[in-house]
Amino acid sequence: KLLRVLQESTFERVGSSISQQVDVRVVATTNRDLEEAVADGKFRTDLFYRLNVVPIDLPPLRQRASDIPELCRHFLHQVARRENSVFRHIEPEAMRLLQRYDWPGNVRELQNIIERACVLEAEPGVIRAATIEPWLTISEARASAIQDLAGKPLADIEKQVILSTLQQFKGHRQKTAGALGIGVRTLGMKLKRWKEEGAVAETA
């Protein structure tokens, strides 16, 4: 149906047999390799060539560090308008941290970091390196730990991530919850349950 719209610029509304003429421009996005999908028979060849008129390859954020300042300004403006709050300034060292980070979660992760910093930053009007660094720093040891999680049940992965983050913040629950993007009450309930199960020490 989509191919017909693209080729003939016509369609029928649901329940109607009358053809409607359309004049539209279609922008299609995907994170899949469509050429490979076509070769494997998983995507229609005719639809691929109809969509692939002017292809634009957008590299991942880790390859576009120069775009990060502008993206940050955009997300900060969004937060300021939504919350009717002060537009925040990102201190230079914080911006350097953002531009050095690998961004496995791409632009969505950057947006999350900026919005989280706007909520948790203690100093009004500025986002500091000290605030965001714990969310961005992934050492070789932590990277190895993440690899060790492969194949484990989701509940075990959640527990390990939460407990390691709690240890990183020396037991400070509010900072831990902020870094993980969950509520302090949610964190407390999980720790209470694991203590009752004997899975964590009473001091956690």
Side-chain angles (χ1 to χ4, degrees), residues 107-123:
V107 177
R108 288 291 186 194
E109 185 180 6
L110 174 60
Q111 181 178 9
N112 179 279
I113 291 292
I114 294 300
E115 292 189 353
R116 189 189 309 172
C118 288
V119 172
L120 299 178
E121 180 61 75
E123 185 177 347

mmCIF file of all heavy atoms in Angstrom, residues 107-123:
data_model
loop_
_atom_site.group_PDB
_atom_site.id
_atom_site.type_symbol
_atom_site.label_atom_id
_atom_site.label_comp_id
_atom_site.label_asym_id
_atom_site.label_seq_id
_atom_site.Cartn_x
_atom_site.Cartn_y
_atom_site.Cartn_z
ATOM 1 N N VAL A 107 21.582 9.931 20.708
ATOM 2 C CA VAL A 107 21.027 11.244 21.043
ATOM 3 C C VAL A 107 20.025 11.155 22.186
ATOM 4 O O VAL A 107 19.926 12.066 23.017
ATOM 5 C CB VAL A 107 20.381 11.887 19.798
ATOM 6 C CG1 VAL A 107 19.726 13.224 20.158
ATOM 7 C CG2 VAL A 107 21.422 12.103 18.711
ATOM 8 N N ARG A 108 19.264 10.045 22.259
ATOM 9 C CA ARG A 108 18.295 9.882 23.353
ATOM 10 C C ARG A 108 19.005 9.903 24.706
ATOM 11 O O ARG A 108 18.492 10.441 25.691
ATOM 12 C CB ARG A 108 17.535 8.570 23.190
ATOM 13 C CG ARG A 108 16.531 8.567 22.062
ATOM 14 C CD ARG A 108 15.371 9.476 22.374
ATOM 15 N NE ARG A 108 14.327 9.372 21.372
ATOM 16 C CZ ARG A 108 13.344 10.218 21.237
ATOM 17 N NH1 ARG A 108 13.255 11.264 22.039
ATOM 18 N NH2 ARG A 108 12.425 10.057 20.301
ATOM 19 N N GLU A 109 20.181 9.283 24.772
ATOM 20 C CA GLU A 109 20.928 9.267 26.031
ATOM 21 C C GLU A 109 21.394 10.670 26.398
ATOM 22 O O GLU A 109 21.340 11.066 27.572
ATOM 23 C CB GLU A 109 22.120 8.316 25.932
ATOM 24 C CG GLU A 109 22.870 8.168 27.249
ATOM 25 C CD GLU A 109 24.054 7.233 27.161
ATOM 26 O OE1 GLU A 109 24.380 6.769 26.046
ATOM 27 O OE2 GLU A 109 24.682 6.971 28.215
ATOM 28 N N LEU A 110 21.850 11.433 25.407
ATOM 29 C CA LEU A 110 22.255 12.817 25.671
ATOM 30 C C LEU A 110 21.085 13.630 26.206
ATOM 31 O O LEU A 110 21.225 14.371 27.179
ATOM 32 C CB LEU A 110 22.795 13.456 24.391
ATOM 33 C CG LEU A 110 23.128 14.949 24.480
ATOM 34 C CD1 LEU A 110 24.196 15.215 25.537
ATOM 35 C CD2 LEU A 110 23.575 15.477 23.115
ATOM 36 N N GLN A 111 19.930 13.479 25.590
ATOM 37 C CA GLN A 111 18.735 14.198 26.054
ATOM 38 C C GLN A 111 18.413 13.821 27.499
ATOM 39 O O GLN A 111 18.090 14.682 28.330
ATOM 40 C CB GLN A 111 17.548 13.882 25.151
ATOM 41 C CG GLN A 111 16.270 14.619 25.549
ATOM 42 C CD GLN A 111 15.117 14.325 24.602
ATOM 43 O OE1 GLN A 111 15.202 13.456 23.741
ATOM 44 N NE2 GLN A 111 14.027 15.064 24.751
ATOM 45 N N ASN A 112 18.507 12.531 27.812
ATOM 46 C CA ASN A 112 18.237 12.063 29.165
ATOM 47 C C ASN A 112 19.196 12.681 30.171
ATOM 48 O O ASN A 112 18.793 13.125 31.256
ATOM 49 C CB ASN A 112 18.324 10.529 29.198
ATOM 50 C CG ASN A 112 18.071 9.949 30.566
ATOM 51 O OD1 ASN A 112 18.954 9.916 31.409
ATOM 52 N ND2 ASN A 112 16.861 9.486 30.798
ATOM 53 N N ILE A 113 20.484 12.729 29.813
ATOM 54 C CA ILE A 113 21.503 13.286 30.700
ATOM 55 C C ILE A 113 21.232 14.768 30.967
ATOM 56 O O ILE A 113 21.303 15.233 32.110
ATOM 57 C CB ILE A 113 22.910 13.104 30.087
ATOM 58 C CG1 ILE A 113 23.313 11.621 30.070
ATOM 59 C CG2 ILE A 113 23.945 13.940 30.843
ATOM 60 C CD1 ILE A 113 23.550 11.015 31.428
ATOM 61 N N ILE A 114 20.909 15.513 29.927
ATOM 62 C CA ILE A 114 20.663 16.950 30.080
ATOM 63 C C ILE A 114 19.434 17.190 30.956
ATOM 64 O O ILE A 114 19.453 18.030 31.869
ATOM 65 C CB ILE A 114 20.488 17.617 28.705
ATOM 66 C CG1 ILE A 114 21.787 17.564 27.898
ATOM 67 C CG2 ILE A 114 20.025 19.065 28.865
ATOM 68 C CD1 ILE A 114 22.959 18.252 28.557
ATOM 69 N N GLU A 115 18.353 16.454 30.705
ATOM 70 C CA GLU A 115 17.134 16.647 31.494
ATOM 71 C C GLU A 115 17.358 16.231 32.948
ATOM 72 O O GLU A 115 16.862 16.877 33.867
ATOM 73 C CB GLU A 115 15.991 15.859 30.867
ATOM 74 C CG GLU A 115 15.558 16.414 29.517
ATOM 75 C CD GLU A 115 14.292 15.776 28.979
ATOM 76 O OE1 GLU A 115 13.815 14.800 29.596
ATOM 77 O OE2 GLU A 115 13.784 16.251 27.949
ATOM 78 N N ARG A 116 18.105 15.151 33.158
ATOM 79 C CA ARG A 116 18.390 14.706 34.527
ATOM 80 C C ARG A 116 19.220 15.755 35.258
ATOM 81 O O ARG A 116 18.975 16.050 36.438
ATOM 82 C CB ARG A 116 19.141 13.373 34.484
ATOM 83 C CG ARG A 116 19.287 12.722 35.855
ATOM 84 C CD ARG A 116 20.212 11.515 35.809
ATOM 85 N NE ARG A 116 19.856 10.585 34.750
ATOM 86 C CZ ARG A 116 20.608 9.527 34.410
ATOM 87 N NH1 ARG A 116 21.752 9.310 35.048
ATOM 88 N NH2 ARG A 116 20.229 8.716 33.445
ATOM 89 N N ALA A 117 20.204 16.338 34.563
ATOM 90 C CA ALA A 117 21.052 17.358 35.192
ATOM 91 C C ALA A 117 20.228 18.587 35.570
ATOM 92 O O ALA A 117 20.451 19.189 36.622
ATOM 93 C CB ALA A 117 22.181 17.747 34.242
ATOM 94 N N CYS A 118 19.271 18.954 34.730
ATOM 95 C CA CYS A 118 18.426 20.113 35.037
ATOM 96 C C CYS A 118 17.614 19.890 36.313
ATOM 97 O O CYS A 118 17.344 20.824 37.064
ATOM 98 C CB CYS A 118 17.484 20.397 33.874
ATOM 99 S SG CYS A 118 18.296 21.091 32.412
ATOM 100 N N VAL A 119 17.244 18.635 36.560
ATOM 101 C CA VAL A 119 16.451 18.312 37.743
ATOM 102 C C VAL A 119 17.321 18.222 38.995
ATOM 103 O O VAL A 119 16.951 18.713 40.066
ATOM 104 C CB VAL A 119 15.694 16.983 37.538
ATOM 105 C CG1 VAL A 119 15.022 16.537 38.840
ATOM 106 C CG2 VAL A 119 14.647 17.127 36.436
ATOM 107 N N LEU A 120 18.504 17.608 38.860
ATOM 108 C CA LEU A 120 19.308 17.273 40.034
ATOM 109 C C LEU A 120 20.409 18.278 40.356
ATOM 110 O O LEU A 120 20.963 18.235 41.450
ATOM 111 C CB LEU A 120 19.939 15.885 39.850
ATOM 112 C CG LEU A 120 18.952 14.720 39.700
ATOM 113 C CD1 LEU A 120 19.710 13.417 39.468
ATOM 114 C CD2 LEU A 120 18.069 14.602 40.924
ATOM 115 N N GLU A 121 20.755 19.160 39.414
ATOM 116 C CA GLU A 121 21.838 20.110 39.650
ATOM 117 C C GLU A 121 21.474 21.053 40.792
ATOM 118 O O GLU A 121 20.427 21.701 40.775
ATOM 119 C CB GLU A 121 22.118 20.901 38.374
ATOM 120 C CG GLU A 121 23.230 21.907 38.502
ATOM 121 C CD GLU A 121 24.554 21.252 38.845
ATOM 122 O OE1 GLU A 121 25.158 20.635 37.964
ATOM 123 O OE2 GLU A 121 24.961 21.373 40.027
ATOM 124 N N ALA A 122 22.349 21.111 41.779
ATOM 125 C CA ALA A 122 22.081 21.923 42.967
ATOM 126 C C ALA A 122 22.269 23.413 42.696
ATOM 127 O O ALA A 122 21.562 24.252 43.245
ATOM 128 C CB ALA A 122 22.988 21.482 44.114
ATOM 129 N N GLU A 123 23.232 23.750 41.847
ATOM 130 C CA GLU A 123 23.534 25.157 41.584
ATOM 131 C C GLU A 123 22.636 25.665 40.454
ATOM 132 O O GLU A 123 22.680 25.143 39.335
ATOM 133 C CB GLU A 123 25.003 25.319 41.190
ATOM 134 C CG GLU A 123 25.441 26.758 41.020
ATOM 135 C CD GLU A 123 26.919 26.874 40.698
ATOM 136 O OE1 GLU A 123 27.634 25.868 40.841
ATOM 137 O OE2 GLU A 123 27.340 27.968 40.290
#
